[in-house]
Amino acid sequence: FQDLEGIDSAITEFRGNGGVYRGFVGTGFRLGNLSLGVNVGYQFGQQDLNTFRSLQSDTIFYYVANINNKTSFNKFWVDAGAQYELKLGKKSMVRLGANGNLGGDAKAERDLVQQTSFYSSDGSADSIDVVERSKTFGTYAFPSSYSVGAMFDFGGKLAIGGEFEQTRWTDFRNFNRPDNLGDANMLRLGAQWIPDPATGKQYFKQVAYRAGYFTGKDYVIAGNQQLPVWGVTLGLGLPI
């Protein structure tokens, strides 16, 4: 609600939907202890936003203002990764890995419609008159991202690993406009223990017992603060 001079109040309602979709093909190959992989794909999506503004008055009837902003975008994208295995002993090794993508600009098309509407009995907004209609072409700048990690394996019985991931949402641009977003950072730590992976004489000694912890910051900023994220995970890998 918002109080305006000469008007009892104003109500603003926001509605939106949309999504991003990807189709891709990938391949990988191994050179000794080094493994390399790459994915190439096509990304597309749509964002449909509606803003409704209604003025409340005891004496005058006002129609509802409806601003519809529909944006579609598409781009080709590439990401790549590498993994290297290094022996530490007869039964121990470490796997080092990294992957990432460079982000980049997507072609975008925006349709803007400003109109007057009224709410029908079922709650939907029916159009009365179109005040403005326009089409704009521009770009969406998507963020780059990368992750690095390591996994220590002790004879297939115990594995301990960690990963750090960052996505630079501060580079995101919507038709050359920055958004109120922060860089997303995430640190993940985990371990896996299999009591007896070799002999397999007892079922529960072949089960993989897993535990993990993650902490970081989401890209969402609320109240001038970037939202923190953390959690603890527990799991079992049951052999069949």
Side-chain angles (χ1 to χ4, degrees):
F1 291 88
Q2 180 181 358
D3 293 329
L4 300 174
E5 185 177 351
I7 300 174
D8 293 341
S9 60
I11 301 175
T12 304
E13 178 185 359
F14 301 97
R15 301 180 187 177
N17 60 73
V20 180
Y21 308 93
R22 280 183 171 186
F24 68 94
V25 294
T27 187
F29 55 93
R30 187 180 179 96
L31 298 172
N33 292 337
L34 178 65
S35 299
L36 301 173
V38 62
N39 294 319
V40 179
Y42 183 72
Q43 177 175 287
F44 61 97
Q46 188 178 75
Q47 183 184 63
D48 192 357
L49 303 177
N50 282 280
T51 302
F52 299 93
R53 170 66 66 88
S54 57
L55 305 178
Q56 309 297 304
S57 174
D58 294 334
T59 57
I60 302 176
F61 172 76
Y62 294 96
Y63 286 115
V64 178
N66 177 11
I67 302 175
N68 175 247
N69 221 322
K70 183 178 292 185
T71 305
S72 58
F73 50 86
N74 62 85
K75 71 183 293 286
F76 288 97
W77 61 274
V78 178
D79 63 18
Q83 178 180 284
Y84 187 78
E85 295 183 356
L86 178 65
K87 283 193 174 184
L88 302 177
K90 290 184 178 180
K91 293 185 178 181
S92 60
M93 63 181 299
V94 60
R95 295 184 180 92
L96 305 175
N99 68 74
N101 71 82
L102 299 177
D105 292 344
K107 294 180 180 179
E109 179 181 319
R110 172 178 293 164
D111 292 308
L112 174 66
V113 177
Q114 300 188 54
Q115 56 190 335
T116 55
S117 306
F118 72 95
Y119 288 111
S120 60
S121 57
D122 62 358
S124 62
D126 295 327
S127 176
I128 298 175
D129 186 30
V130 176
V131 179
E132 179 185 353
R133 188 189 301 271
S134 63
K135 182 185 292 289
T136 307
F137 296 92
T139 59
Y140 261 34
F142 282 90
S144 60
S145 66
Y146 73 91
S147 65
V148 294
M151 174 67 74
F152 294 88
D153 190 326
F154 301 94
K157 187 172 184 178
L158 176 64
I160 301 173
E163 178 190 51
F164 176 77
E165 180 181 12
Q166 182 182 77
T167 303
R168 295 186 55 83
W169 283 103
T170 51
D171 293 337
F172 177 77
R173 295 293 184 273
N174 181 349
F175 280 73
N176 296 322
R177 282 189 306 132
D179 213 334
N180 188 31
L181 304 173
D183 291 339
N185 302 298
M186 190 68 68
L187 175 66
R188 302 180 181 93
L189 302 172
Q192 173 181 281
W193 177 57
I194 304 175
D196 189 3
T199 61
K201 292 181 178 180
Q202 297 184 30
Y203 181 81
F204 287 102
K205 287 188 176 182
Q206 300 177 68
V207 173
Y209 300 90
R210 298 170 180 147
Y213 172 76
F214 61 89
T215 182
K217 291 185 177 180
D218 201 341
Y219 65 88
V220 176
I221 295 178
N224 295 323
Q225 291 188 347
Q226 201 166 343
L227 296 183
V229 179
W230 71 274
V232 175
T233 62
L234 298 172
L236 297 174
L238 302 177
I240 300 176

